[in-house]
Amino acid sequence: MSSPPLRKPPRWVQWTVVPLLIVVPVFYVLISAEQSRDGGEQKQKLAAATTLTYTWPTKVQRRIYDVPIPPRSRPVAFLETNNWAASSLYVQFTTSQGGLDTFLAQVGSSRAALKDGEVTVSRKQASTVRWAFGSGQHWAGTRLQQHGDKPDHDITVDLTSPDAPVVYVVSTMDFA
């Protein structure tokens, strides 16, 4: 037994489907290329930065460097530096008292670990991003040394305005 002959589709179907099979992928490629090009330019600008960039670090950067910035923190600024021996993420943000407690808990510390009058960000680190930890401010700081592939944190907090503490964090991953 032979099967019945295949029915030829109507002419309008051919004139509609064939162009769509060509046009849709072409538009997809053009849109993808434009998005890819734009994303690369923004990443290149951030990688070339030598001072703080006033925006939030990416979620990936925050996860890699273990810097959980509390919601509603403003202004937020960051700088990432990389070399053969270490990579560091410098982050500065203003938050609330609850936000400070949340941040410290999420990095594995607490307000009790902050040593009053201590600036734990080194002068070399501070000069990298032009932070000035002068007198006349109420400073408190802590240093978190972690084992394995977890980053170390140097945390300094300006508690001069108790309702709006300013947090300065240097999260460093050593490769040596």
Side-chain angles (χ1 to χ4, degrees):
M1 291 194 94
S2 69
S3 61
L6 293 175
R7 196 177 125 225
K8 194 173 183 180
R11 206 158 182 70
W12 69 268
V13 170
Q14 290 175 338
W15 286 105
T16 305
V17 172
V18 171
L20 284 176
L21 288 173
I22 295 168
V23 171
V24 170
V26 166
F27 277 114
Y28 176 77
V29 167
L30 291 173
I31 291 169
S32 295
E34 185 64 28
Q35 289 174 345
S36 175
R37 193 177 75 152
D38 289 346
E41 289 173 4
Q42 181 64 20
K43 288 178 186 174
Q44 200 171 24
K45 286 177 186 175
L46 288 174
T50 57
T51 60
L52 290 172
T53 302
Y54 281 85
T55 187
W56 285 60
T58 66
K59 288 181 182 180
V60 171
Q61 287 171 313
R62 286 181 272 157
R63 189 173 62 239
I64 289 171
Y65 290 99
D66 193 20
V67 179
I69 302 170
R72 294 181 296 284
S73 295
R74 287 188 180 62
V76 177
F78 80 98
L79 174 69
E80 183 178 13
T81 62
N82 299 293
N83 62 40
W84 291 105
S87 289
S88 296
L89 182 68
Y90 298 77
V91 181
Q92 170 187 337
F93 59 90
T94 303
T95 189
S96 63
Q97 287 186 19
L100 175 60
D101 292 331
T102 300
F103 166 75
L104 291 170
Q106 288 179 335
V107 295
S109 188
S110 68
R111 202 180 281 245
L114 293 174
K115 295 178 186 151
D116 202 38
E118 188 164 330
V119 174
T120 55
V121 174
S122 72
R123 286 184 185 190
K124 181 179 178 189
Q125 290 171 327
S127 70
T128 301
V129 288
R130 298 183 185 105
W131 285 336
F133 299 109
S135 60
Q137 305 291 101
H138 179 192
W139 300 110
T142 188
R143 185 170 273 131
L144 302 173
Q145 302 283 349
Q146 301 192 66
H147 300 287
D149 60 351
K150 294 190 177 202
D152 296 330
H153 293 87
D154 294 311
I155 302 169
T156 298
V157 182
D158 180 357
L159 296 169
T160 306
S161 176
D163 293 333
V166 181
V167 180
Y168 301 86
V169 184
V170 181
S171 178
T172 304
M173 308 236 347
D174 289 314
F175 305 122

